[in-house]
Amino acid sequence: MQLEKLYKPKLVEEKWRKIWEKYQIYKYSENSNKPVYSIDTPPPYVSATYLHAGHAMSYIQAEIIVRYKRMQGYNIFYPMGFDDNGLPTERHVEKKYKVDKTKIKREDFIKLCLKETDEVKKIYEKMLKSLGISVDWSLLYSTIGKLAQKIAQKSFIDLYNKGLIYQIEAPNFWCVDCQTALSQADLEDKERIGKMYYIKFSKIDNQSLIVATTRPELIPACVALYVNPDDKRYKKFIGNRVKTPIFNQEVEIKTSPDVEKEKGTGLMMVCTWGDAEDVKKWRKDKLDTKVIIDKNGIFNNLAGKYKGLKINQARKAIVKDLHNLGLIEKVEEVRQAVNVHERCGVPIEFLSSPQWFIKILDYKKEFLKRGRKLKWFPKFMKVRYEEWVNGLSWDWCISRDRYFGTPFPVWRCSKCGKVILADEKELPVDPREKSPKISQCPVCGNKEFIPETQVMDTWMTSSLTPLINAKWKEKKSLFKKIYPMSLRVQAFEIIRTWLFYTIVKSHFHTQSLPWDAVMISGWGLDKNGKKMSKSKGNFIAADKIVDKYSADGLRWWATNSSLGQSLRFSEEDVKAGVKLTNKLWNVTRFVLINIKNYKQSKAVKITEYTDKWIMAELQETVKKITNDFEHYDYNKARISLEKFFWLKYCDNYLELCKVRLNSDNKQAKLSAQFTLIKSLNILLKLFAPIIPYVTEEIYHILNNEKENHSIHLTSWPKVERQYLNKEIIKEGELLIKIMHQIRSYRLKKFNSHKQPIKQLAILTKTNHLENFIDEIQKIFKIDKIFFNKKIKGELFNLENYNTKIILD
RNA sequence: GGACGAUUAGCUCAGUUGGUUAGAGCGCUACAUUCACAUUGUAGAGGUCAUAGGUUCAAAUCCUAUAUCGUCCACCA
């Protein structure tokens, strides 16, 4: 077969994408006896709509391991999902179609969400496929899909029955922009320059006290002032009553050791509820409740003349009035970190509303224990998990006041408030559209029920991906085979959410870990080391890179750093990957040209020393790379492979080989041909997990394989002990060193690559070097070679090898 | 303020339990095109391993500080 000089990745990759799909080579086989290896992959948010090189890096790093496992003989269960559920999707649709969820019919809004997610899914699937991600697309799930909803509702019912879920009306994190309650994990810090206002409060006896606050708009919600009990300045005022400015409401001066004397004036204003600290004091000291902000972030009746204003407007208005009254002593600029909602960036408020919670605070110890049992790759990522668990201070709020999510399978009796759960058989259920199966309340006999209208937090569903994949309580045979899953793959920023919540769920539902091991990737960054983002314009679209270069090239780049480390995008490194594929291509051309009349037969054996050498090196490489992949270390594997391929195989072995391929010595030639075919086949397999397209193409050409036989379904090379030989490897190293020295000498002395060498003397104790001499002599056109005999010429000391050579 | 990671050649990154002269790719310089490959080959230049101390016969590697970058958490009056 004739190959063109240039490898054409575009055509080849497109071709194999189609063939792989046609024969479904990545399909999980239900009836196989092979051990199962199952992977829990991140379901992308459809709101993202694009895959950038950073995402691609994360997917690829894990996928390489999956390909390796497949070749190791595992029955791979590799599903893909989409997180098309909940708040992120709603916000995305609201923005894209400029709709207001309060002004559009609920059904119409949901339809819009579904339409959008369907479109985005197609884009995603295409992008992931083009990267060569070997997912079994028949295992696709979606978090808004029926199965996921059903399992999420089952999860709720199971937890409720176990007493792990409660509903309570209490102050919670609230986003006034998204108009929903949030959980601790939804928050993010944002630094900003704020203003600290020093405001005069007056005591009953008209003496004034200065209170420092960054939120003067909360004065109408002020319910107490606090000082540190040891603060000498204020000791005498403890228990006194003070009037708030403008509103003239009386509040008491109370004490708390949490108040820092140095902050502000040492006098702290406590409101309903400015921050978590306020909530804490409100609970502990049973303070009054003066809620002035409603769900939209608009001031209500209690705010008096500021009623109807938004938070920012109210702040301006109050500050202006305070100024006019001469009640502001001074204003300072301060850097402050504000808790904002990570999806919209709007500062969170505390608002009281009935919300559902899962008890997690009582189980921190158990979660830590589970964390310690999990195999972490890389290890240091475990610390991030433990930090998060230790720092938890709120139970998990799982209800959201939104539309597009899994409904709670819950009604309440309109009279006595008894909670009525849906029957497991009728799941998934939307209580707004159906009545409960029972016709009257088991407690009071009332016949009217109120459906729960909130929906679940999106993590409530995505925390169940292992159970959704395993069809928990739906398909026992499957569950038994794939659960707990073998591997979770994700990036580090969602340890506190996805990883943590998944452990929570599995702990409660199945009393086990959800997976055996977790692989955590770093971030792919732009060339300046910044996180890629579309809005900042440093967004490198993965499909564009695949289009410009190749998927194999991009995959090669993704192996450039070790697991868990961040990696800057470098177009040059993608090019290096393309270069590698081309080199592999040309090696194949070389092999094909030189095996033209070769016929495979059992009689052919490796008899020549150079062939034995490269086989020994190759076997060592197989050993090393197998070990690296077993430790999820694609980066080390790639480095070993690259070194062997370029430095030993191409630069030296193939050159040495040429001499015999052109010679009349039949056996010497046969040995080389046999070695070439064998070694190239092994090499292809070693490269296959990293660069699946080019290896597939070459494997087929080289072996004349049928279309439906994929290299990715062949077995991983085993170490063949008969070829292992440490001594010969050592001699090979020396050989390379000698050849290098000759080339260097020749170029320096004659400024030419072609100048023949008159004489070479090798002074060494190494025994078998003369086995290589024939080839060296021909390559360098050396007249005479001497062993352990001094000649006239230039001497070079090869120190590490206890060898000297003399060149003339 | 606490935690984790990073800091190695012009750039992107490796560097196993401390062990000769610290590596690769890209880029750069010189030479080479009848050769499987110019998406090439050969040779070469290029590093005080962030800084300062310490442990050791021996430190990029271990310890203690410091600096810078990234991330997470805490603080939020």
Side-chain angles (χ1 to χ4, degrees), chain A residues 602-616:
Chain A
K602 279 186 184 168
V604 180
K605 287 221 167 93
I606 297 182
T607 50
E608 306 307 300
Y609 217 69
T610 321
D611 300 333
K612 286 181 181 170
W613 164 65
I614 204 65
M615 284 308 290

Side-chain angles (χ1 to χ4, degrees), chain A residues 738 757 759-764 782 784-792 794-796 803-808:
Chain A
I738 291 172
I757 303 289
Q759 297 187 94
L760 162 70
I762 301 173
L763 314 173
T764 184
I782 304 173
K784 262 188 174 173
I785 296 183
F786 303 95
F787 268 94
N788 294 324
K789 184 189 166 191
K790 282 199 177 170
I791 58 170
K792 224 176 79 188
E794 207 166 325
L795 183 123
F796 299 93
T803 297
K804 289 172 187 165
I805 64 172
I806 304 168
L807 283 161
D808 179 26

Side-chain angles (χ1 to χ4, degrees), chain A residues 737-794:
Chain A
K737 201 87 194 169
I738 291 172
M739 293 203 290
H740 184 239
Q741 193 55 256
I742 297 173
R743 285 177 186 137
S744 177
Y745 166 81
R746 196 171 53 179
L747 195 67
K748 245 185 208 159
K749 181 143 189 182
F750 308 108
N751 202 12
S752 155
H753 297 288
K754 288 180 161 177
Q755 185 74 28
I757 303 289
K758 276 187 216 153
Q759 297 187 94
L760 162 70
I762 301 173
L763 314 173
T764 184
K765 283 175 184 160
T766 307
N767 288 325
H768 307 98
L769 219 51
E770 59 263 30
N771 291 308
F772 295 110
I773 283 320
D774 211 28
E775 286 161 7
I776 291 189
Q777 189 164 10
K778 286 201 174 117
I779 287 176
F780 295 103
K781 298 177 186 133
I782 304 173
D783 284 347
K784 262 188 174 173
I785 296 183
F786 303 95
F787 268 94
N788 294 324
K789 184 189 166 191
K790 282 199 177 170
I791 58 170
K792 224 176 79 188
E794 207 166 325

Side-chain angles (χ1 to χ4, degrees), chain A residues 45-59:
Chain A
Y45 285 123
V46 290
S47 50
T49 59
Y50 286 99
L51 215 56
H52 60 57
H55 297 128
M57 181 196 93
S58 189
Y59 278 102

